[in-house]
Amino acid sequence: MDIVKHNKSAWNNYVDKKDRWTIPVSEQELENSKKGNWSIVLTPKKPVPHNWFPELNGSKVLGLVSGGGQQGPILATLGAYVTIFDNSDKQLQQDKTISNKFNLDIKTLQGDMKDLSVFEDNSFDLIFNPCSVLFVDNVLPVWKECYRFLIPNGILMTGLINPISFQIDEQNLKLIYKQPFSDLHSLPAEKVEELIKNKEALQYGHSLTDQINGQLQAGFNLTDMYEDNWGGENNLDDYFPAFMATRAIKRLL
């Protein structure tokens, strides 16, 4: 099946259902950000530390699969030149609506992160990538492309998911799926059919080697990281943090 097409439809459906990750920031949040009171997330709960960011005023920022009007408008309010790249046209529309309403001049591009050739070499100071590499079957080319179109010493921030969280039955807390995990190939056929019928996005559980070492092999230096959880929304929270956020800098090879 065409997973890219399916996931585009799934995220458009999430927008229609007003999923939490599709609700744009409010006017009050934008006003607060102008006063220095702002936060954005790569993972469900923990805000990204402000000292992870470069000087945002005048910086060129790519929100990689970051549609929904949540992070881009905040960064634009802080003076960044923001481009949002996403597979879902309805997620991108959230950014367009906020941008037009508040004159933020956010650019939007629709596409699949497996093909980032639209971006020129050395064209961004910062790539902000909330948890989304789980929607691509091979994450290694994504890291290589991010390295290519970041400027020297440019920053890659990304949200990642511990692969074991995909392998555990959340209800019974039993390890039942092998690594590498994918909804399409790991789940029983009837479960896959149910996900497709319900317009749920299909996901991949990448190894820590591909998620962490993949960045290093692409040429990045990892400078910081933190862990996060669902904030009490998932049974796994009682046992381990399912999420990680990493900050990496493009070093010269």
Side-chain angles (χ1 to χ4, degrees), residues 11-41:
W11 274 98
N12 284 346
N13 182 54
Y14 293 156
V15 174
D16 294 339
K17 294 167 57 178
K18 294 182 170 51
D19 180 89
R20 62 180 289 195
W21 300 115
T22 71
I23 305 299
V25 293
S26 65
E27 182 175 1
Q28 185 61 58
E29 288 175 287
L30 294 178
E31 287 298 320
N32 289 344
S33 70
K34 293 178 182 178
K35 301 173 184 177
N37 181 20
W38 61 276
S39 67
I40 56 177
V41 296

Side-chain angles (χ1 to χ4, degrees), residues 15-247:
V15 174
D16 294 339
K17 294 167 57 178
K18 294 182 170 51
D19 180 89
R20 62 180 289 195
W21 300 115
T22 71
I23 305 299
V25 293
S26 65
E27 182 175 1
Q28 185 61 58
E29 288 175 287
L30 294 178
E31 287 298 320
N32 289 344
S33 70
K34 293 178 182 178
K35 301 173 184 177
N37 181 20
W38 61 276
S39 67
I40 56 177
V41 296
L42 289 162
T43 54
K45 292 296 181 181
K46 287 186 180 179
V48 181
H50 283 196
N51 62 11
W52 275 30
F53 292 87
E55 172 56 51
L56 287 169
N57 189 26
S59 292
K60 295 180 179 179
V61 177
L62 173 65
L64 180 57
V65 193
S66 183
Q70 299 185 345
Q71 295 95 19
I74 295 291
L75 295 170
T77 300
L78 295 170
Y81 298 104
V82 176
T83 300
I84 300 296
F85 182 89
D86 203 284
N87 184 31
S88 164
D89 52 302
K90 288 192 176 182
Q91 278 284 75
L92 291 173
Q93 186 58 51
Q94 303 291 64
D95 288 276
K96 291 178 184 178
T97 299
I98 293 292
S99 178
N100 293 338
K101 183 176 181 179
F102 297 103
N103 195 29
L104 297 177
D105 196 27
I106 296 172
K107 296 179 180 179
T108 59
L109 285 171
Q110 186 175 4
D112 173 20
M113 77 175 112
K114 290 178 69 173
D115 181 5
L116 299 172
S117 59
V118 65
F119 300 118
E120 297 181 357
D121 294 359
N122 306 310
S123 54
F124 290 100
D125 301 289
L126 167 65
I127 298 172
F128 192 87
N129 174 227
C131 289
S132 61
V133 296
L134 71 158
F135 300 118
V136 65
D137 58 348
N138 183 3
V139 70
L140 298 181
V142 177
W143 304 141
K144 292 178 181 178
E145 281 289 86
C146 287
Y147 183 91
R148 177 183 64 79
F149 56 75
L150 270 175
I151 65 168
N153 296 315
I155 300 170
L156 168 65
M157 301 181 193
T158 189
L160 305 171
I161 299 181
N162 189 324
I164 200 167
S165 64
F166 291 98
Q167 300 170 245
I168 294 177
D169 183 324
E170 297 174 9
Q171 300 302 318
N172 300 314
L173 297 176
K174 290 184 178 180
L175 187 64
I176 56 177
Y177 301 115
K178 295 180 180 180
Q179 194 178 136
F181 173 90
S182 78
D183 282 337
L184 199 59
H185 300 112
S186 301
L187 297 177
E190 60 272 18
K191 180 62 176 177
V192 177
E193 291 175 4
E194 181 182 352
L195 291 175
I196 294 172
K197 179 181 178 181
N198 293 335
K199 295 184 179 181
E200 297 289 346
L202 299 178
Q203 304 176 357
Y204 300 89
H206 300 295
S207 69
L208 291 177
T209 297
D210 284 356
Q211 293 187 88
I212 303 295
N213 191 55
Q215 294 184 52
L216 301 177
Q217 293 301 313
F220 288 99
N221 280 345
L222 193 67
T223 63
D224 206 351
M225 68 165 292
Y226 60 85
E227 294 178 291
D228 196 7
N229 59 31
W230 288 99
E233 298 176 4
N234 190 296
N235 291 337
L236 298 181
D237 284 355
D238 292 333
Y239 296 88
F240 67 95
F243 297 89
M244 297 166 283
T246 59
R247 180 185 189 271

